[in-house]
PDB file of all heavy atoms in Angstrom:
ATOM      1  N   GLY H   1       0.817  -1.210   0.000  1.00 91.00           N
ATOM      2  CA  GLY H   1       0.000   0.000   0.000  1.00 91.00           C
ATOM      3  C   GLY H   1       0.848   1.256   0.000  1.00 91.00           C
ATOM      4  O   GLY H   1       0.505   2.259  -0.637  1.00 91.00           O
ATOM      5  N   ILE H   2       1.966   1.212   0.722  1.00 91.00           N
ATOM      6  CA  ILE H   2       2.896   2.341   0.722  1.00 91.00           C
ATOM      7  C   ILE H   2       3.605   2.439  -0.630  1.00 91.00           C
ATOM      8  O   ILE H   2       3.733   3.516  -1.217  1.00 91.00           O
ATOM      9  CB  ILE H   2       3.931   2.190   1.859  1.00 91.00           C
ATOM     10  CG1 ILE H   2       3.233   2.231   3.224  1.00 91.00           C
ATOM     11  CG2 ILE H   2       4.988   3.276   1.770  1.00 91.00           C
ATOM     12  CD1 ILE H   2       4.157   1.890   4.389  1.00 91.00           C
ATOM     13  N   MET H   3       4.034   1.292  -1.141  1.00 91.00           N
ATOM     14  CA  MET H   3       4.840   1.274  -2.360  1.00 91.00           C
ATOM     15  C   MET H   3       4.087   1.716  -3.599  1.00 91.00           C
ATOM     16  O   MET H   3       4.684   2.252  -4.527  1.00 91.00           O
ATOM     17  CB  MET H   3       5.401  -0.132  -2.584  1.00 91.00           C
ATOM     18  CG  MET H   3       6.444  -0.552  -1.573  1.00 91.00           C
ATOM     19  SD  MET H   3       7.079  -2.215  -1.900  1.00 91.00           S
ATOM     20  CE  MET H   3       8.219  -2.398  -0.504  1.00 91.00           C
ATOM     21  N   ARG H   4       2.793   1.493  -3.652  1.00 87.00           N
ATOM     22  CA  ARG H   4       2.078   1.849  -4.875  1.00 87.00           C
ATOM     23  C   ARG H   4       1.961   3.356  -5.082  1.00 87.00           C
ATOM     24  O   ARG H   4       1.553   3.795  -6.155  1.00 87.00           O
ATOM     25  CB  ARG H   4       0.695   1.194  -4.897  1.00 87.00           C
ATOM     26  CG  ARG H   4      -0.326   1.680  -3.945  1.00 87.00           C
ATOM     27  CD  ARG H   4      -1.697   1.100  -4.276  1.00 87.00           C
ATOM     28  NE  ARG H   4      -2.695   1.451  -3.300  1.00 87.00           N
ATOM     29  CZ  ARG H   4      -3.143   0.609  -2.378  1.00 87.00           C
ATOM     30  NH1 ARG H   4      -2.683  -0.627  -2.315  1.00 87.00           N
ATOM     31  NH2 ARG H   4      -4.060   1.011  -1.507  1.00 87.00           N
ATOM     32  N   HIS H   5       2.346   4.127  -4.080  1.00 87.00           N
ATOM     33  CA  HIS H   5       2.397   5.572  -4.245  1.00 87.00           C
ATOM     34  C   HIS H   5       3.730   6.032  -4.832  1.00 87.00           C
ATOM     35  O   HIS H   5       3.934   7.229  -5.026  1.00 87.00           O
ATOM     36  CB  HIS H   5       2.175   6.263  -2.898  1.00 87.00           C
ATOM     37  CG  HIS H   5       0.794   6.075  -2.341  1.00 87.00           C
ATOM     38  ND1 HIS H   5      -0.262   6.902  -2.669  1.00 87.00           N
ATOM     39  CD2 HIS H   5       0.301   5.168  -1.472  1.00 87.00           C
ATOM     40  CE1 HIS H   5      -1.343   6.508  -2.017  1.00 87.00           C
ATOM     41  NE2 HIS H   5      -1.036   5.468  -1.280  1.00 87.00           N
ATOM     42  N   HIS H   6       4.633   5.088  -5.110  1.00 90.00           N
ATOM     43  CA  HIS H   6       5.967   5.444  -5.575  1.00 90.00           C
ATOM     44  C   HIS H   6       6.315   4.675  -6.850  1.00 90.00           C
ATOM     45  O   HIS H   6       5.587   3.774  -7.274  1.00 90.00           O
ATOM     46  CB  HIS H   6       7.004   5.149  -4.481  1.00 90.00           C
ATOM     47  CG  HIS H   6       6.709   5.796  -3.178  1.00 90.00           C
ATOM     48  ND1 HIS H   6       5.947   5.197  -2.201  1.00 90.00           N
ATOM     49  CD2 HIS H   6       7.056   6.993  -2.666  1.00 90.00           C
ATOM     50  CE1 HIS H   6       5.838   6.008  -1.157  1.00 90.00           C
ATOM     51  NE2 HIS H   6       6.507   7.106  -1.417  1.00 90.00           N
ATOM     52  N   THR H   7       7.457   5.040  -7.430  1.00 87.00           N
ATOM     53  CA  THR H   7       7.929   4.400  -8.649  1.00 87.00           C
ATOM     54  C   THR H   7       8.758   3.174  -8.288  1.00 87.00           C
ATOM     55  O   THR H   7       9.997   3.264  -8.155  1.00 87.00           O
ATOM     56  CB  THR H   7       8.764   5.400  -9.468  1.00 87.00           C
ATOM     57  OG1 THR H   7       8.087   6.657  -9.567  1.00 87.00           O
ATOM     58  CG2 THR H   7       9.041   4.866 -10.867  1.00 87.00           C
ATOM     59  N   ASN H   8       8.109   2.028  -8.130  1.00 88.00           N
ATOM     60  CA  ASN H   8       8.842   0.846  -7.659  1.00 88.00           C
ATOM     61  C   ASN H   8       8.150  -0.458  -8.044  1.00 88.00           C
ATOM     62  O   ASN H   8       8.019  -1.370  -7.219  1.00 88.00           O
ATOM     63  CB  ASN H   8       9.044   0.914  -6.135  1.00 88.00           C
ATOM     64  CG  ASN H   8       7.758   1.255  -5.385  1.00 88.00           C
ATOM     65  OD1 ASN H   8       6.668   0.907  -5.834  1.00 88.00           O
ATOM     66  ND2 ASN H   8       7.899   1.942  -4.272  1.00 88.00           N
ATOM     67  N   TYR H   9       7.718  -0.577  -9.314  1.00 90.00           N
ATOM     68  CA  TYR H   9       7.071  -1.795  -9.770  1.00 90.00           C
ATOM     69  C   TYR H   9       7.969  -3.009  -9.557  1.00 90.00           C
ATOM     70  O   TYR H   9       7.517  -4.059  -9.097  1.00 90.00           O
ATOM     71  CB  TYR H   9       6.693  -1.668 -11.247  1.00 90.00           C
ATOM     72  CG  TYR H   9       6.047  -2.905 -11.830  1.00 90.00           C
ATOM     73  CD1 TYR H   9       4.684  -3.126 -11.702  1.00 90.00           C
ATOM     74  CD2 TYR H   9       6.815  -3.855 -12.512  1.00 90.00           C
ATOM     75  CE1 TYR H   9       4.083  -4.260 -12.241  1.00 90.00           C
ATOM     76  CE2 TYR H   9       6.231  -4.989 -13.050  1.00 90.00           C
ATOM     77  CZ  TYR H   9       4.869  -5.183 -12.911  1.00 90.00           C
ATOM     78  OH  TYR H   9       4.290  -6.315 -13.437  1.00 90.00           O
ATOM     79  N   ASN H  10       9.252  -2.885  -9.872  1.00 92.00           N
ATOM     80  CA  ASN H  10      10.184  -4.000  -9.732  1.00 92.00           C
ATOM     81  C   ASN H  10      10.327  -4.443  -8.281  1.00 92.00           C
ATOM     82  O   ASN H  10      10.459  -5.637  -8.000  1.00 92.00           O
ATOM     83  CB  ASN H  10      11.552  -3.631 -10.310  1.00 92.00           C
ATOM     84  CG  ASN H  10      11.530  -3.500 -11.813  1.00 92.00           C
ATOM     85  OD1 ASN H  10      10.678  -4.074 -12.484  1.00 92.00           O
ATOM     86  ND2 ASN H  10      12.475  -2.740 -12.371  1.00 92.00           N
ATOM     87  N   ILE H  11      10.327  -3.471  -7.352  1.00 94.00           N
ATOM     88  CA  ILE H  11      10.446  -3.822  -5.937  1.00 94.00           C
ATOM     89  C   ILE H  11       9.218  -4.592  -5.471  1.00 94.00           C
ATOM     90  O   ILE H  11       9.330  -5.593  -4.743  1.00 94.00           O
ATOM     91  CB  ILE H  11      10.662  -2.556  -5.093  1.00 94.00           C
ATOM     92  CG1 ILE H  11      11.994  -1.890  -5.439  1.00 94.00           C
ATOM     93  CG2 ILE H  11      10.633  -2.903  -3.596  1.00 94.00           C
ATOM     94  CD1 ILE H  11      12.234  -0.579  -4.718  1.00 94.00           C
ATOM     95  N   ARG H  12       8.019  -4.154  -5.888  1.00 94.00           N
ATOM     96  CA  ARG H  12       6.798  -4.876  -5.532  1.00 94.00           C
ATOM     97  C   ARG H  12       6.840  -6.300  -6.070  1.00 94.00           C
ATOM     98  O   ARG H  12       6.446  -7.255  -5.396  1.00 94.00           O
ATOM     99  CB  ARG H  12       5.559  -4.142  -6.044  1.00 94.00           C
ATOM    100  CG  ARG H  12       5.380  -2.745  -5.522  1.00 94.00           C
ATOM    101  CD  ARG H  12       3.946  -2.266  -5.650  1.00 94.00           C
ATOM    102  NE  ARG H  12       3.416  -2.385  -6.982  1.00 94.00           N
ATOM    103  CZ  ARG H  12       3.475  -1.420  -7.906  1.00 94.00           C
ATOM    104  NH1 ARG H  12       4.071  -0.263  -7.616  1.00 94.00           N
ATOM    105  NH2 ARG H  12       2.967  -1.589  -9.116  1.00 94.00           N
ATOM    106  N   GLN H  13       7.304  -6.442  -7.290  1.00 93.00           N
ATOM    107  CA  GLN H  13       7.406  -7.765  -7.917  1.00 93.00           C
ATOM    108  C   GLN H  13       8.376  -8.661  -7.155  1.00 93.00           C
ATOM    109  O   GLN H  13       8.083  -9.834  -6.885  1.00 93.00           O
ATOM    110  CB  GLN H  13       7.851  -7.605  -9.370  1.00 93.00           C
ATOM    111  CG  GLN H  13       7.716  -8.858 -10.221  1.00 93.00           C
ATOM    112  CD  GLN H  13       8.107  -8.584 -11.659  1.00 93.00           C
ATOM    113  OE1 GLN H  13       9.021  -7.793 -11.939  1.00 93.00           O
ATOM    114  NE2 GLN H  13       7.428  -9.211 -12.594  1.00 93.00           N
ATOM    115  N   ARG H  14       9.532  -8.111  -6.789  1.00 94.00           N
ATOM    116  CA  ARG H  14      10.529  -8.875  -6.030  1.00 94.00           C
ATOM    117  C   ARG H  14      10.025  -9.238  -4.642  1.00 94.00           C
ATOM    118  O   ARG H  14      10.297 -10.332  -4.130  1.00 94.00           O
ATOM    119  CB  ARG H  14      11.822  -8.078  -5.933  1.00 94.00           C
ATOM    120  CG  ARG H  14      12.652  -8.032  -7.199  1.00 94.00           C
ATOM    121  CD  ARG H  14      13.756  -6.963  -7.073  1.00 94.00           C
ATOM    122  NE  ARG H  14      14.424  -7.051  -5.780  1.00 94.00           N
ATOM    123  CZ  ARG H  14      14.953  -5.998  -5.167  1.00 94.00           C
ATOM    124  NH1 ARG H  14      14.844  -4.778  -5.716  1.00 94.00           N
ATOM    125  NH2 ARG H  14      15.538  -6.131  -3.987  1.00 94.00           N
ATOM    126  N   LEU H  15       9.292  -8.326  -4.020  1.00 95.00           N
ATOM    127  CA  LEU H  15       8.782  -8.579  -2.679  1.00 95.00           C
ATOM    128  C   LEU H  15       7.818  -9.760  -2.670  1.00 95.00           C
ATOM    129  O   LEU H  15       7.923 -10.647  -1.815  1.00 95.00           O
ATOM    130  CB  LEU H  15       8.086  -7.323  -2.140  1.00 95.00           C
ATOM    131  CG  LEU H  15       7.566  -7.401  -0.695  1.00 95.00           C
ATOM    132  CD1 LEU H  15       8.728  -7.483   0.280  1.00 95.00           C
ATOM    133  CD2 LEU H  15       6.688  -6.199  -0.362  1.00 95.00           C
ATOM    134  N   ILE H  16       6.889  -9.785  -3.605  1.00 94.00           N
ATOM    135  CA  ILE H  16       5.935 -10.889  -3.673  1.00 94.00           C
ATOM    136  C   ILE H  16       6.629 -12.182  -4.073  1.00 94.00           C
ATOM    137  O   ILE H  16       6.297 -13.272  -3.581  1.00 94.00           O
ATOM    138  CB  ILE H  16       4.787 -10.538  -4.640  1.00 94.00           C
ATOM    139  CG1 ILE H  16       3.959  -9.387  -4.047  1.00 94.00           C
ATOM    140  CG2 ILE H  16       3.897 -11.750  -4.902  1.00 94.00           C
ATOM    141  CD1 ILE H  16       2.833  -8.916  -4.927  1.00 94.00           C
ATOM    142  N   ALA H  17       7.629 -12.084  -4.964  1.00 94.00           N
ATOM    143  CA  ALA H  17       8.381 -13.267  -5.370  1.00 94.00           C
ATOM    144  C   ALA H  17       9.146 -13.879  -4.193  1.00 94.00           C
ATOM    145  O   ALA H  17       9.450 -15.080  -4.201  1.00 94.00           O
ATOM    146  CB  ALA H  17       9.344 -12.918  -6.499  1.00 94.00           C
ATOM    147  N   ALA H  18       9.470 -13.056  -3.186  1.00 95.00           N
ATOM    148  CA  ALA H  18      10.216 -13.542  -2.022  1.00 95.00           C
ATOM    149  C   ALA H  18       9.365 -14.374  -1.073  1.00 95.00           C
ATOM    150  O   ALA H  18       9.906 -15.043  -0.181  1.00 95.00           O
ATOM    151  CB  ALA H  18      10.822 -12.366  -1.268  1.00 95.00           C
ATOM    152  N   ILE H  19       8.038 -14.357  -1.241  1.00 95.00           N
ATOM    153  CA  ILE H  19       7.156 -15.162  -0.391  1.00 95.00           C
ATOM    154  C   ILE H  19       7.390 -16.634  -0.694  1.00 95.00           C
ATOM    155  O   ILE H  19       7.339 -17.068  -1.848  1.00 95.00           O
ATOM    156  CB  ILE H  19       5.675 -14.784  -0.603  1.00 95.00           C
ATOM    157  CG1 ILE H  19       5.442 -13.303  -0.268  1.00 95.00           C
ATOM    158  CG2 ILE H  19       4.768 -15.663   0.246  1.00 95.00           C
ATOM    159  CD1 ILE H  19       4.045 -12.817  -0.587  1.00 95.00           C
ATOM    160  N   ASP H  20       7.626 -17.433   0.317  1.00 93.00           N
ATOM    161  CA  ASP H  20       7.929 -18.850   0.168  1.00 93.00           C
ATOM    162  C   ASP H  20       6.791 -19.596  -0.519  1.00 93.00           C
ATOM    163  O   ASP H  20       5.607 -19.257  -0.348  1.00 93.00           O
ATOM    164  CB  ASP H  20       8.191 -19.458   1.542  1.00 93.00           C
ATOM    165  CG  ASP H  20       8.777 -20.850   1.459  1.00 93.00           C
ATOM    166  OD1 ASP H  20       9.998 -20.968   1.330  1.00 93.00           O
ATOM    167  OD2 ASP H  20       8.001 -21.812   1.508  1.00 93.00           O
ATOM    168  N   ASP H  21       7.158 -20.626  -1.306  1.00 92.00           N
ATOM    169  CA  ASP H  21       6.167 -21.409  -2.042  1.00 92.00           C
ATOM    170  C   ASP H  21       5.134 -22.049  -1.122  1.00 92.00           C
ATOM    171  O   ASP H  21       4.002 -22.307  -1.544  1.00 92.00           O
ATOM    172  CB  ASP H  21       6.858 -22.499  -2.865  1.00 92.00           C
ATOM    173  CG  ASP H  21       7.641 -21.925  -4.043  1.00 92.00           C
ATOM    174  OD1 ASP H  21       7.347 -20.780  -4.455  1.00 92.00           O
ATOM    175  OD2 ASP H  21       8.562 -22.618  -4.538  1.00 92.00           O
ATOM    176  N   GLY H  22       5.513 -22.307   0.119  1.00 92.00           N
ATOM    177  CA  GLY H  22       4.571 -22.906   1.059  1.00 92.00           C
ATOM    178  C   GLY H  22       3.359 -22.050   1.355  1.00 92.00           C
ATOM    179  O   GLY H  22       2.303 -22.543   1.769  1.00 92.00           O
ATOM    180  N   TRP H  23       3.482 -20.745   1.150  1.00 93.00           N
ATOM    181  CA  TRP H  23       2.369 -19.814   1.354  1.00 93.00           C
ATOM    182  C   TRP H  23       1.511 -19.633   0.097  1.00 93.00           C
ATOM    183  O   TRP H  23       0.390 -19.125   0.192  1.00 93.00           O
ATOM    184  CB  TRP H  23       2.898 -18.441   1.786  1.00 93.00           C
ATOM    185  CG  TRP H  23       3.561 -18.387   3.114  1.00 93.00           C
ATOM    186  CD1 TRP H  23       4.902 -18.406   3.355  1.00 93.00           C
ATOM    187  CD2 TRP H  23       2.927 -18.279   4.388  1.00 93.00           C
ATOM    188  NE1 TRP H  23       5.144 -18.321   4.711  1.00 93.00           N
ATOM    189  CE2 TRP H  23       3.935 -18.245   5.368  1.00 93.00           C
ATOM    190  CE3 TRP H  23       1.594 -18.214   4.803  1.00 93.00           C
ATOM    191  CZ2 TRP H  23       3.679 -18.145   6.730  1.00 93.00           C
ATOM    192  CZ3 TRP H  23       1.325 -18.116   6.167  1.00 93.00           C
ATOM    193  CH2 TRP H  23       2.348 -18.087   7.117  1.00 93.00           C
ATOM    194  N   ARG H  24       2.053 -19.990  -1.076  1.00 91.00           N
ATOM    195  CA  ARG H  24       1.414 -19.628  -2.340  1.00 91.00           C
ATOM    196  C   ARG H  24       0.021 -20.204  -2.537  1.00 91.00           C
ATOM    197  O   ARG H  24      -0.835 -19.594  -3.174  1.00 91.00           O
ATOM    198  CB  ARG H  24       2.300 -20.037  -3.515  1.00 91.00           C
ATOM    199  CG  ARG H  24       3.634 -19.295  -3.599  1.00 91.00           C
ATOM    200  CD  ARG H  24       3.401 -17.788  -3.632  1.00 91.00           C
ATOM    201  NE  ARG H  24       4.591 -16.992  -3.701  1.00 91.00           N
ATOM    202  CZ  ARG H  24       5.099 -16.479  -4.819  1.00 91.00           C
ATOM    203  NH1 ARG H  24       4.481 -16.704  -5.974  1.00 91.00           N
ATOM    204  NH2 ARG H  24       6.210 -15.772  -4.781  1.00 91.00           N
ATOM    205  N   LYS H  25      -0.220 -21.427  -2.010  1.00 89.00           N
ATOM    206  CA  LYS H  25      -1.534 -22.023  -2.210  1.00 89.00           C
ATOM    207  C   LYS H  25      -2.638 -21.313  -1.421  1.00 89.00           C
ATOM    208  O   LYS H  25      -3.824 -21.522  -1.672  1.00 89.00           O
ATOM    209  CB  LYS H  25      -1.511 -23.505  -1.849  1.00 89.00           C
ATOM    210  CG  LYS H  25      -1.301 -23.808  -0.370  1.00 89.00           C
ATOM    211  CD  LYS H  25      -1.327 -25.294  -0.127  1.00 89.00           C
ATOM    212  CE  LYS H  25      -1.140 -25.642   1.345  1.00 89.00           C
ATOM    213  NZ  LYS H  25      -1.135 -27.111   1.570  1.00 89.00           N
ATOM    214  N   TYR H  26      -2.232 -20.452  -0.481  1.00 91.00           N
ATOM    215  CA  TYR H  26      -3.211 -19.755   0.355  1.00 91.00           C
ATOM    216  C   TYR H  26      -3.558 -18.360  -0.178  1.00 91.00           C
ATOM    217  O   TYR H  26      -4.486 -17.731   0.319  1.00 91.00           O
ATOM    218  CB  TYR H  26      -2.689 -19.608   1.792  1.00 91.00           C
ATOM    219  CG  TYR H  26      -2.403 -20.920   2.487  1.00 91.00           C
ATOM    220  CD1 TYR H  26      -1.093 -21.327   2.719  1.00 91.00           C
ATOM    221  CD2 TYR H  26      -3.428 -21.745   2.901  1.00 91.00           C
ATOM    222  CE1 TYR H  26      -0.815 -22.513   3.364  1.00 91.00           C
ATOM    223  CE2 TYR H  26      -3.163 -22.952   3.546  1.00 91.00           C
ATOM    224  CZ  TYR H  26      -1.857 -23.327   3.767  1.00 91.00           C
ATOM    225  OH  TYR H  26      -1.579 -24.523   4.412  1.00 91.00           O
ATOM    226  N   ILE H  27      -2.810 -17.860  -1.171  1.00 92.00           N
ATOM    227  CA  ILE H  27      -2.972 -16.472  -1.586  1.00 92.00           C
ATOM    228  C   ILE H  27      -3.180 -16.346  -3.098  1.00 92.00           C
ATOM    229  O   ILE H  27      -2.842 -17.251  -3.867  1.00 92.00           O
ATOM    230  CB  ILE H  27      -1.759 -15.615  -1.172  1.00 92.00           C
ATOM    231  CG1 ILE H  27      -0.491 -16.081  -1.885  1.00 92.00           C
ATOM    232  CG2 ILE H  27      -1.582 -15.603   0.329  1.00 92.00           C
ATOM    233  CD1 ILE H  27       0.726 -15.178  -1.661  1.00 92.00           C
ATOM    234  N   THR H  28      -3.748 -15.217  -3.496  1.00 92.00           N
ATOM    235  CA  THR H  28      -3.794 -14.799  -4.894  1.00 92.00           C
ATOM    236  C   THR H  28      -3.079 -13.461  -4.997  1.00 92.00           C
ATOM    237  O   THR H  28      -3.026 -12.692  -4.029  1.00 92.00           O
ATOM    238  CB  THR H  28      -5.233 -14.668  -5.414  1.00 92.00           C
ATOM    239  OG1 THR H  28      -5.939 -13.690  -4.632  1.00 92.00           O
ATOM    240  CG2 THR H  28      -5.956 -16.011  -5.340  1.00 92.00           C
ATOM    241  N   ILE H  29      -2.554 -13.188  -6.191  1.00 92.00           N
ATOM    242  CA  ILE H  29      -1.740 -11.988  -6.394  1.00 92.00           C
ATOM    243  C   ILE H  29      -2.378 -11.113  -7.457  1.00 92.00           C
ATOM    244  O   ILE H  29      -2.745 -11.591  -8.538  1.00 92.00           O
ATOM    245  CB  ILE H  29      -0.308 -12.366  -6.813  1.00 92.00           C
ATOM    246  CG1 ILE H  29       0.331 -13.281  -5.751  1.00 92.00           C
ATOM    247  CG2 ILE H  29       0.545 -11.113  -7.011  1.00 92.00           C
ATOM    248  CD1 ILE H  29       1.625 -13.918  -6.198  1.00 92.00           C
ATOM    249  N   ALA H  30      -2.526  -9.812  -7.150  1.00 88.00           N
ATOM    250  CA  ALA H  30      -3.048  -8.866  -8.140  1.00 88.00           C
ATOM    251  C   ALA H  30      -2.071  -8.742  -9.303  1.00 88.00           C
ATOM    252  O   ALA H  30      -0.849  -8.816  -9.117  1.00 88.00           O
ATOM    253  CB  ALA H  30      -3.277  -7.505  -7.498  1.00 88.00           C
TER     254      ALA H  30
END
Protein backbone atom coordinates (compact mmCIF):
# COMPACT_ATOMS: atom_id res chain seq x y z
CA GLY A 1 0.00 0.00 0.00
CA ILE A 2 2.90 2.34 0.72
CA MET A 3 4.84 1.27 -2.36
CA ARG A 4 2.08 1.85 -4.88
CA HIS A 5 2.40 5.57 -4.24
CA HIS A 6 5.97 5.44 -5.57
CA THR A 7 7.93 4.40 -8.65
CA ASN A 8 8.84 0.85 -7.66
CA TYR A 9 7.07 -1.80 -9.77
CA ASN A 10 10.18 -4.00 -9.73
CA ILE A 11 10.45 -3.82 -5.94
CA ARG A 12 6.80 -4.88 -5.53
CA GLN A 13 7.41 -7.76 -7.92
CA ARG A 14 10.53 -8.88 -6.03
CA LEU A 15 8.78 -8.58 -2.68
CA ILE A 16 5.93 -10.89 -3.67
CA ALA A 17 8.38 -13.27 -5.37
CA ALA A 18 10.22 -13.54 -2.02
CA ILE A 19 7.16 -15.16 -0.39
CA ASP A 20 7.93 -18.85 0.17
CA ASP A 21 6.17 -21.41 -2.04
CA GLY A 22 4.57 -22.91 1.06
CA TRP A 23 2.37 -19.81 1.35
CA ARG A 24 1.41 -19.63 -2.34
CA LYS A 25 -1.53 -22.02 -2.21
CA TYR A 26 -3.21 -19.76 0.35
CA ILE A 27 -2.97 -16.47 -1.59
CA THR A 28 -3.79 -14.80 -4.89
CA ILE A 29 -1.74 -11.99 -6.39
CA ALA A 30 -3.05 -8.87 -8.14
